Amino acid sequence: KFSQLNLPKEFLTNLETLGYTKLTAIQQKSLPLSLDNKDLIAQAKTGSGKTVAFCIPIINKLNIKNFRIQSLILAPTRELANQIALEIRKLSRHIHNLKVLTLCGGTPFKPQVLSLSHEAHIIVATPGRVLKHIQQNNIDLENITTLVLDEADKMLDMGFYDDIMEIIDSLPKNRQTLLFSATYEKNIEKLASNVLLNPVVVKVENEEKVHIKQKFYSVEESNKTTLIPALISSNKAKSILIFCNMKITCDKLADDLYNLGLDVLTLHSDLEQKQRDETIILFSNKSYPILIATDVASRGLHIDDVDLVINYDLSLDEKIHTHRIGRTARAGKGGMAISLYTHNDYDRVELIKDTFTDIQEESVDKIEDDLSYKIDSELRTIFINGGKKQKLRAGDILGAMTAGIGLHKDEIGKIDILDFASYVAISKEKISFVLEKLSKEKIKGKYYRIYEKWQNKKGDINCLKIHYFLK
Ligand code: ADP
Ligand code: MG
């Protein structure tokens, strides 16, 4: 239990309100050591609670009065960095004025310089961008006491080794370093031996049983697309993540599914960062039931409650396969993962099948297409052109929606607040009502522009109607 850890009372109370009572296996193994300032190499599969495992010691150790950067967390992608920052904010709600700053590529550089000049306690960054700030002397790392490398394996896969080493060269030697990874291979060993000091290795080997059911179908390349609606309906899936190996396949599949009557989101690295952020919001707040993605999306991202993963293209290796199917069994929730393969994939199929014991091979003739099954999301997304920089909080928006215009709490889904914009999932029946009423309602004393936000299948950002202009 968290309460058995040596943490301040307010911290424990906050953890409790967040619904964290029992430690996951990796937290149980790592926290006593990391809270004791030890260097760690921690390995556990995706979804096992590694973020909380490294955020707790960071927050616990922080000297809030010392308004200097005390922790640096490196993560492979901007999406992941944002999720980590969010988790830190949640976990530190009992501490006032804790400042977390994210520094990632794909966002303007200058505002980051300005933010850095205003100081922060914790930096969450992608290696490339933070290195650029270091090289330009924008960032003071002298007070760093903790370095975290999250998804270290992924960062190495992405070619960040040299950047990471250069960043570490400018950090104080006397610090705690925590390395987290889903896999542990030679390259991680090399990184670890250069960066960590007498590290303790903690591993959780598939301890919590993952309840992912896996089915494999041998198919013709030309039949793959038409199988998708059948696979969705036969599994009664409501939130579906489809993986393709290439961007071009994603786009083609999105087009084809659109022609079959399914509107989908796509996520791959050709899209601008802003579109990628929005795509993830629209998918994880359940405004769109289907997301087609390349492996950019398969690592680290925390997308809740995906009930079906479809490998439209078989993964290039078993490691990638593991990460993909892991999207459907987060924190112990069960799920289904379906893989399609063609005669070209036979060698890889064998390799992947050897890695898992529970794969069921099925014939496509066995798929029971349920024609009455309708896949549509109950929710749609409202966009508000104000966010953190306007000091909007979820409570303000919730208040305006409920007390303000009379929506029931059940009609409101996830609220995402970015720097300059907020996204609110709303029951689709209530969309026009909200658009009409909320445009005439102040949120925290101000009027905002309210649109319905949707993306077409190309990931372009569209605003259906602009209902209100700020006067
Ligand atoms: P990982 O980094 O290992 O892939 P995450 O840190 O993204 O996994 O955690 C997956 C999910 O588990 C998150 O929704 C997180 O809030 C939840 N979680 C983490 N620790 C606990 C816990 N002790 N009890 C319940 N849920 C937890
Ligand atoms: Mg993680």
Side-chain angles (χ1 to χ4, degrees), residues 340-369:
L340 307 180
Y341 66 93
T342 68
H343 62 276
N344 291 322
D345 305 323
Y346 277 137
D347 42 344
R348 273 185 289 140
V349 172
E350 289 315 314
L351 195 72
I352 292 172
K353 280 189 176 168
D354 283 349
T355 319
F356 302 88
T357 49
D358 51 350
I359 292 176
Q360 197 183 330
E361 178 79 40
E362 235 186 60
S363 152
V364 288
D365 307 329
K366 284 263 175 65
I367 301 171
E368 285 177 26
D369 194 359

Side-chain angles (χ1 to χ4, degrees), residues 370-381:
D370 179 354
L371 292 175
S372 66
Y373 187 74
K374 265 179 73 181
I375 177 144
D376 184 19
S377 182
E378 298 301 312
L379 301 171
R380 296 286 184 271
T381 296

Side-chain angles (χ1 to χ4, degrees), residues 396-407 433 437-438 441-442:
D396 304 324
I397 294 176
L398 201 62
M401 298 260 180
T402 52
I405 63 171
L407 230 56
F433 172 82
K437 299 283 183 188
L438 198 61
E441 180 77 24
K442 286 182 179 174

Side-chain angles (χ1 to χ4, degrees), residues 205-217:
E205 225 100 48
N206 283 337
E207 238 189 46
E208 314 157 52
K209 268 268 166 280
V210 199
H211 308 287
I212 309 174
K213 273 174 84 176
Q214 290 207 60
K215 284 187 183 169
F216 273 54
Y217 293 95

Side-chain angles (χ1 to χ4, degrees), residues 455-468:
Q455 298 195 348
N456 76 9
K457 59 193 192 301
K458 296 270 195 288
D460 300 330
I461 295 170
N462 289 297
C463 307
L464 254 190
K465 296 162 199 159
I466 296 178
H467 280 258
Y468 192 82

Side-chain angles (χ1 to χ4, degrees), residues 220-320:
E220 301 288 329
E221 189 66 49
S222 57
N223 287 341
K224 278 180 169 180
T225 304
T226 49
L227 280 176
I228 300 290
L231 289 169
I232 293 172
S233 74
S234 65
N235 284 289
K236 307 248 182 310
K238 288 202 156 58
S239 182
I240 301 114
L241 188 50
I242 304 179
F243 285 108
C244 301
N245 288 346
M246 292 189 297
K247 297 170 197 164
I248 187 170
T249 325
C250 283
D251 287 335
K252 173 82 169 54
L253 180 61
D255 277 340
D256 292 345
L257 289 181
Y258 190 74
N259 292 332
L260 290 173
L262 293 173
D263 198 2
V264 303
L265 294 166
T266 52
L267 181 69
H268 57 61
S269 54
D270 268 1
L271 301 175
E272 279 176 32
Q273 192 61 54
K274 195 178 158 206
Q275 293 176 314
R276 286 161 64 181
D277 290 347
E278 217 174 73
T279 300
I280 289 169
I281 288 173
L282 293 181
F283 183 66
S284 47
N285 79 7
K286 308 252 181 289
S287 290
Y288 279 78
I290 306 174
L291 173 64
I292 305 178
T294 56
D295 289 296
V296 173
S298 81
R299 288 292 301 254
L301 281 189
H302 182 210
I303 300 172
D304 259 328
D305 292 334
V306 177
D307 39 31
L308 177 62
V309 167
I310 300 179
N311 291 314
Y312 183 85
D313 294 321
L314 197 67
S315 311
L316 295 177
D317 61 43
E318 73 281 7
K319 245 169 67 186
I320 299 175

